Amino acid sequence: MRRRHRHRLLRPLVAFAAVTGIFATATPDADSTPLEGTSAASATTTVFYYTKTKNWPAAYLHYAPDGGSWTTAPGVRMETACTDWVKETVDLGSAAGLQATFNNGSGTWDNNGGTNYALGTGTVTVKDGVVAHSDPCADTGTGTGNQATVYYSTATSGWSTANLHYAPTGGSWTTVPGVGMESACTGWWKRTVDLGTATALKAAFNNGNGVWDNNNGSDYALGSGTTTVKDRTVTAGAADPCAAQAPDTQAPTTPTGVTASATGTSVVVSWKPATDDTAVTKYQLTRTGGTEGTVVTDVGSTVWSDTGLAEKTTYTYTVKAVDAAGNTSPASSAAPVTTGEKAPAPAAGTPLGTDPRKDPIYFVLTARFYDGDTSNDRGGSQDVTSGNAANNDPMFRGDFKGLVGKLDYIKALGFSAVWITPVVLNRSDYDYHGYHGYDFYKVDPRLESAGASYQDLINAAHAKGMKIYQDVVYNHSSRWGAKGLFTPTVYGVRDTQWSWYYDEKNAGFDYDGLTVEPKSGKSYYNGDLWSTSEPSGNTCLNWGKPTGGKSPEGYTLYNCQWPSPTSGMFPKAYYHQCWIGNWEGEDSRSCWLHEDLADFNTENATVQNYLIGAYDKYIDMGVDGFRVDTAVHIPRVTWNRRFLPAIHDRVTQRFGADAAKNFFVFGEVGAFVNDKWNRGSVNHSAQFFTWKERKEYSADDEKAAIEQYDYEEQLGTGNQPTSANAFLNGNSYHTPDRSQFSGMNIIDMRMHMNFGDAQNAYNNGKDSDDSVNDATYNVVYVDSHDYGPNKSSTRYSGGTDAWAENMALMWTFRGIPTLYYGSEIEFQKGKQIDCGPTCPLAGTGRAYYGDHLAGGVTASDFGTVASASGEVATTLAQPLVKHLQRLNRIRRAIPALQSGQYSTDGITGSMAFKRRYTSGSTDSFALVTVTGGATYTGIPNGTYTDAVTGDVKTVSGGTLSVAAPGKGNLRVYVLNGPGKIGADGPYLK
């Protein structure tokens, strides 16, 4: 078997978070043989500083070894090393690194924007603010033997520096991380090396901070002469990729289809994407008219919401497309629009904008949680047949007024984020859950009340320090279409038996979900005719002929009676025209899931603009994030090109870059197997959606989707990107590299599917973390409104002790713990989660929860009850509630449990790990064991205090042992920790 050379970093490499002083090593792969020329530690640091962009006549290094004093300003003068570089070797004594700044000796300083540079040992380079690890003056390739000139592309990785680690055939490897490569041209790095008598070399590349490209562990085989390496493709005898590059002078095509529509004093402008020989990078939107004069705005998507305009004023919009070279298309045709009267300004809403990992999530089906206003309750056409009417339990029962009134209950549990089901106006016969969207621009009035609008809910939550995460659907509309985009004239077969179900056409009726259609006097839902005439374009076989079957009521069923992609009912431009055949195939991204879920053609610009404009509205209201339904059924390239940038741009525009960074988007990528990669299909695996694209595709989104699917499937599971963002380097936290993050985090489906047993969930979760961009953002839950563990159709029924163990793991392991409403009292355990309109909701996992919340409750803080009365006081006294409250208080007090990276190195124990988070003055290090005992070796010495018992252990030899706390219990020993948090309870004691 051919032995692959793998690279082991034995010398500490700097990977710092701003001014933390915490350093870590990073390794691409382990090898049993250390590299020659490396050592475990070094007492010196050689600092190379790049001067070309400074034009300083001299350079000084002003520094302080860790724990030591600063040199006298301006420091020590650095010596010339080679062209554009100076250097200085510093004796650190016993220190493991140094703080440093640079200056020209005459008062001009480079102090890393005021935070200083944190440098480690070995060879360190500082170039234009970027810290890396190589000798930029070594091996310039000027020998008399054979030479290799290597060009390496970082266009898709986004690295800001590159090193070449290599070994000539028969020779030794360079010292990690190798030799620094020089910038050759945009996206390319170059290095010429001497090979002596060898004619080939093995090579790997890295960014100097622990991120490697070693050809998936195989290394690259390169020859002498000129070679290019781009996206793992090696081209031997290549032309210089930077030589005589013809400038890009071709402008993009002119945008077409520009439309502008006004609502009050706001205007939504949309257009079709332009094309370019390389890629369109942005659009320039020009507005003229009014007293503001000409306004030009850069836009990253193909839709723009312009707000705060003058009343009853005509504005004109034109659009130009711009590529990366700055080539600009001619202006589009003008789109004029006249604004209306200014609408009353809604109450202000601003997202809280904090790190989402700090906020455990409570998930509610709004319509089933608490009924604050009975006047908006609705049972719908299935009220009687479902059995809900007999229980006086209409499907639309809970509302925003009820949720606002019980926010203190959720806060008393300890949750600071609430995930709510979709809020847009729905249209179907059983649409209380919110996933049958009809008017995406309108909040469903069955959820709102006077004084309790959606805006009021958002504002009330924010006033309590709680976030609102809105469930959103981009994949499909209801079977009635999407108002404002396309609403079909609905076709089907109607006879007198079905007259109760199919309403006659009523041109004056505008469906709102709340109002009874006056012509029939009975329906809230249809208000339109189901014709007996076959629609043109129908391809549904045997249209209108009896199937031979009967409905539950005994009525005749007809072929094509229900909406379908083949009925000719929906236009191809806006809706897909097929049923899913293979759930792990390409068609799962471009076909219908169900007859009530008309599948959007999300690669169509008009559809994209409709959805982007709709969700801009809710961003503007101040929601704190989106949970994305059915994310896997839209190609990743469409997310990455259109929807995710639109979300980021809108939040940035409205609330700033920091708010955009923490606007939490987490996607449902359904994978119901225990594989790391969903049946070997990367395109249908959750972690796949956390990454940016690695190459350019066709400008046409539909073609791009197919190209991406084929490209990634051919690369396979072994060639997907990996990440160390969730993992500690030894005991040290390192700044995560999120340069390739797509903008979408994920629900941890693999842990969810395996939560029949906490140990199994833990093992499966760890196994996938290296393929997620940053698993510390994973949303983790046991069950939900769809499934229990192992694709069970029932709510979790593993027992109270098992629930306590699951919670103990979720609240201390990486990721964001999430609880489905009522699980704190094992509500409806073992009950079927959803059986549609064939059984009463009261007997399902979506039962009404309000009876358990009757009475009053006030929270004094997260996880703390100030007062409670009535039934809700009984609910809050339950054992799991007490357990949950204390877990939330412990997690809130220990930053390592919120945002920390983790490791199991040097640890024995079944569910045991260490976590650390370092930022600014915060350095939080915790040792966790769930249920079983554990021993931790190689940990920092010091005083550790258990947050559960208050037990204090002093570590002097790097080892700490913990006895088994028991099922549902845990130990959290924190270095220099806060002590015991909360009082002993039924499990934590």
Side-chain angles (χ1 to χ4, degrees):
M1 183 177 68
R2 181 171 64 88
R3 184 174 182 272
R4 294 180 177 178
H5 183 91
R6 298 177 185 264
H7 315 290
R8 187 179 189 183
L9 307 187
L10 302 179
R11 181 173 292 157
L13 299 182
V14 181
F16 64 93
V19 212
T20 62
I22 298 300
F23 307 101
T25 57
T27 60
D29 287 298
D31 181 30
S32 60
T33 306
L35 300 176
E36 295 181 4
T38 62
S39 59
S42 174
T44 62
T45 293
T46 300
V47 181
F48 286 85
Y49 186 70
Y50 185 71
T51 61
K52 183 175 181 178
T53 50
K54 298 290 187 297
N55 294 316
W56 288 351
Y60 290 79
L61 172 66
H62 181 44
Y63 69 92
D66 293 348
S69 301
W70 284 86
T71 56
T72 301
V76 295
R77 182 164 180 162
M78 305 180 75
E79 63 182 78
T80 299
C82 57
T83 303
D84 302 327
W85 289 92
V86 293
K87 72 175 182 178
E88 180 66 29
T89 299
V90 177
D91 185 352
L92 296 178
S94 60
L98 67 153
Q99 294 281 309
T101 64
F102 303 88
N103 66 90
N104 69 349
S106 301
T108 301
W109 288 79
D110 173 7
N111 60 4
N112 194 25
T115 62
N116 301 332
Y117 289 98
L119 309 180
T121 57
T123 300
V124 180
T125 63
V126 181
K127 180 179 181 181
D128 298 335
V130 176
V131 177
H133 309 274
S134 64
D135 182 347
C137 303
D139 190 5
T140 56
T142 57
T144 58
N146 296 321
Q147 292 184 337
T149 298
V150 181
Y151 287 88
Y152 182 70
S153 172
T154 57
T156 54
S157 69
W159 291 355
S160 57
T161 187
N163 296 300
L164 170 65
H165 180 45
Y166 72 97
T169 302
S172 300
W173 284 85
T174 54
T175 301
V176 171
V179 295
M181 305 183 77
E182 292 295 324
S183 178
C185 57
T186 302
W188 285 98
W189 298 78
K190 172 185 178 181
R191 188 76 192 202
T192 299
V193 297
D194 288 323
L195 301 179
T197 59
T199 59
L201 67 153
K202 283 281 192 179
F205 304 89
N206 65 86
N207 72 347
N209 285 310
V211 181
W212 285 79
D213 173 7
N214 60 6
N215 198 21
N216 291 314
S218 300
D219 303 324
Y220 288 97
L222 310 179
S224 58
T226 300
T227 304
T228 61
V229 181
K230 181 177 182 181
D231 296 334
R232 295 196 176 95
T233 298
V234 175
T235 304
D240 181 346
C242 299
Q245 289 184 319
D248 180 5
T249 59
Q250 182 174 331
T253 60
T254 302
T256 59
V258 182
T259 61
S261 60
T263 301
T265 55
S266 297
V267 171
V268 174
V269 187
S270 64
W271 57 94
K272 295 180 180 179
T275 59
D276 187 60
D277 59 330
T278 55
V280 174
T281 57
K282 65 179 180 180
Y283 295 90
Q284 287 182 348
L285 179 76
T286 299
R287 183 188 76 207
T288 58
T291 59
E292 302 91 342
T294 300
V295 177
V296 180
T297 304
D298 286 345
V299 181
S301 63
T302 56
V303 64
W304 181 251
S305 297
D306 209 0
T307 58
L309 301 174
E311 293 183 289
K312 300 178 180 178
T313 301
T314 298
Y315 293 91
T316 300
Y317 294 85
T318 58
V319 184
K320 298 178 181 178
V322 184
D323 66 16
N327 298 310
T328 304
S329 75
S332 68
S333 299
V337 64
T338 301
T339 58
E341 295 183 354
K342 186 176 182 179
T350 302
L352 295 184
T354 53
D355 187 336
R357 294 173 296 182
K358 295 181 178 181
D359 302 300
I361 303 170
Y362 192 74
F363 171 35
V364 301
L365 268 72
T366 309
R368 307 302 299 158
F369 187 63
Y370 192 78
D371 193 0
D373 177 7
T374 58
S375 69
N376 59 12
D377 292 357
R378 291 293 182 273
S381 65
Q382 303 296 305
D383 195 36
V384 174
T385 57
S386 65
N388 289 336
N391 293 328
N392 192 27
D393 183 28
M395 61 170 185
F396 262 99
R397 188 172 180 183
D399 45 41
F400 294 147
K401 186 173 183 178
L403 185 52
V404 168
K406 297 304 176 184
L407 285 175
D408 265 34
Y409 169 77
I410 298 172
K411 186 171 183 175
L413 295 178
F415 293 94
S416 49
V418 185
W419 157 18
I420 60 173
T421 40
V423 305
V424 305
L425 176 60
N426 266 231
R427 188 173 188 179
S428 78
D429 303 293
Y430 219 57
D431 56 359
Y432 64 96
H433 42 67
Y435 298 99
H436 297 169
Y438 172 67
D439 188 344
F440 286 69
Y441 286 76
K442 180 181 178 65
V443 176
D444 201 308
R446 291 167 290 186
L447 298 175
E448 293 194 303
S449 308
S453 67
Y454 186 34
Q455 186 70 69
D456 292 326
L457 169 64
I458 295 167
N459 295 348
H462 288 173
K464 296 180 182 294
M466 302 168 70
K467 296 180 177 179
I468 294 294
Y469 295 150
Q470 178 179 329
D471 211 322
V472 294
V473 183
Y474 287 77
N475 178 67
H476 56 264
S477 72
S478 72
R479 71 171 183 256
W480 300 95
K483 185 178 181 181
L485 176 71
F486 175 79
T487 52
T489 300
V490 182
Y491 294 92
V493 175
R494 180 186 181 203
D495 59 28
T496 55
Q497 290 179 316
W498 289 102
S499 61
W500 67 277
Y501 189 81
Y502 301 129
D503 294 338
E504 295 181 19
K505 189 176 182 64
N506 185 347
F509 176 61
D510 187 16
Y511 169 80
D512 64 6
L514 197 63
T515 305
V516 173
E517 190 274 313
K519 192 168 186 178
S520 67
K522 58 182 171 56
S523 176
Y524 298 100
Y525 292 93
N526 300 337
D528 203 354
L529 176 69
W530 282 56
S531 171
T532 55
S533 301
E534 181 175 353
S536 60
N538 169 65
T539 59
C540 186
L541 297 177
N542 298 314
W543 190 93
K545 296 180 180 179
T547 65
K550 299 287 185 179
S551 74
E553 300 85 0
Y555 304 157
T556 299
L557 294 175
Y558 301 88
N559 283 301
C560 316
Q561 181 169 4
W562 310 106
S564 79
T566 58
S567 66
M569 182 190 306
F570 296 90
K572 182 178 181 180
Y574 297 159
Y575 287 89
H576 290 132
Q577 306 288 298
C578 53
W579 291 110
I580 290 177
N582 177 7
W583 288 84
E584 279 73 44
E586 198 285 326
D587 61 336
S588 74
R589 309 185 310 166
S590 58
C591 298
W592 285 39
L593 299 167
H594 187 271
E595 63 197 14
D596 269 339
L597 309 177
D599 200 85
F600 282 132
N601 178 6
T602 49
E603 287 64 64
N604 176 277
T606 302
V607 174
Q608 293 167 0
N609 293 340
Y610 175 82
L611 293 168
I612 290 169
Y615 291 125
D616 278 352
K617 168 181 176 175
Y618 305 107
I619 291 172
D620 292 352
M621 294 173 74
V623 296
D624 300 276
F626 288 157
R627 180 268 187 182
V628 181
D629 181 71
T630 50
V632 70
H633 299 296
I634 295 175
R636 185 182 75 179
V637 68
T638 305
W639 284 116
N640 287 350
R641 277 185 173 184
R642 309 300 176 202
F643 297 132
L644 293 173
I647 293 170
H648 181 272
D649 290 351
R650 188 65 176 189
V651 180
T652 301
Q653 176 216 0
R654 295 286 290 151
F655 305 111
D658 286 344
K661 176 184 176 183
N662 289 316
F663 188 90
F664 191 46
V665 179
F666 57 106
E668 177 207 24
V669 182
F672 305 107
V673 295
N674 295 338
D675 304 340
K676 180 174 184 176
W677 296 98
N678 184 14
R679 296 182 177 88
S681 174
V682 296
N683 281 282
H684 298 87
S685 300
Q687 59 268 40
F688 181 75
F689 285 78
T690 66
W691 297 94
K692 287 182 178 179
E693 302 309 324
R694 294 184 280 175
K695 68 186 300 290
E696 290 290 335
Y697 300 104
S698 296
D700 179 83
D701 283 356
E702 188 169 348
K703 292 180 181 177
I706 300 296
E707 291 169 358
Q708 181 221 44
Y709 180 87
D710 292 340
Y711 175 75
E712 295 291 356
E713 289 297 291
Q714 289 168 8
L715 284 179
T717 61
N719 291 289
Q720 295 302 310
T722 58
S723 170
N725 285 339
F727 307 118
L728 294 172
N729 284 339
N731 293 312
S732 298
Y733 179 86
H734 62 92
T735 302
D737 177 5
R738 291 173 65 79
S739 61
Q740 295 306 300
F741 175 52
S742 67
M744 182 185 291
N745 300 286
I746 54 171
I747 293 170
D748 198 323
M749 293 296 293
R750 193 171 181 196
M751 286 194 74
H752 163 48
M753 284 292 108
N754 286 281
F755 250 118
D757 175 75
Q759 180 72 61
N760 201 34
Y762 172 68
N763 291 339
N764 276 273
K766 288 192 304 177
D767 184 52
S768 294
D769 285 353
D770 64 346
S771 59
V772 181
N773 182 270
D774 191 342
T776 65
Y777 288 84
N778 284 11
V779 170
V780 182
Y781 57 63
V782 174
D783 62 359
S784 73
H785 59 324
D786 288 325
Y787 293 104
N790 299 313
K791 207 178 180 181
S792 165
S793 62
T794 61
R795 287 193 75 157
Y796 183 75
S797 58
T800 310
D801 289 353
W803 252 124
E805 184 178 49
N806 290 341
M807 290 179 181
L809 174 62
M810 288 193 293
W811 262 256
T812 55
F813 189 44
R814 60 96 187 111
I816 303 171
T818 301
L819 199 71
Y820 185 38
Y821 81 99
S823 291
E824 62 271 25
I825 61 169
E826 298 178 86
F827 180 61
Q828 299 295 93
K829 63 181 179 181
K831 297 294 180 65
Q832 186 173 352
I833 293 172
D834 175 33
C835 57
T838 63
C839 62
L841 281 167
T844 72
R846 297 177 176 180
Y848 177 66
Y849 192 58
D851 295 338
H852 297 277
L853 301 178
V857 57
T858 302
S860 56
D861 202 351
F862 292 102
T864 305
V865 179
S867 63
S869 62
E871 187 60 31
V872 70
T874 302
T875 300
L876 287 166
Q878 299 306 303
L880 277 181
V881 171
K882 297 297 185 184
H883 183 59
L884 181 63
Q885 288 173 316
R886 194 170 180 209
L887 283 171
N888 269 318
R889 291 176 65 187
I890 290 172
R891 187 179 190 272
R892 187 169 295 276
I894 302 171
L897 301 185
Q898 302 167 21
S899 308
Q901 296 160 343
Y902 78 95
S903 173
T904 58
D905 292 345
I907 302 173
T908 62
S910 56
M911 286 187 286
F913 44 89
K914 53 189 174 183
R915 297 190 67 185
R916 191 170 205 155
Y917 177 70
T918 311
S919 178
S921 61
T922 298
D923 183 11
S924 176
F925 184 72
L927 307 175
V928 179
T929 182
V930 178
T931 302
T935 298
Y936 306 83
T937 60
I939 61 173
N941 293 330
T943 301
Y944 291 78
T945 306
D946 180 21
V948 177
T949 65
D951 178 52
V952 178
K953 293 184 182 294
T954 300
V955 175
S956 58
T959 298
L960 185 150
S961 294
V962 182
K967 192 174 179 88
N969 204 349
L970 77 155
R971 297 290 180 258
V972 184
Y973 280 89
V974 184
L975 181 60
N976 302 319
K980 183 175 180 177
I981 300 169
D984 290 350
Y987 291 99
L988 297 181
K989 55 188 177 181

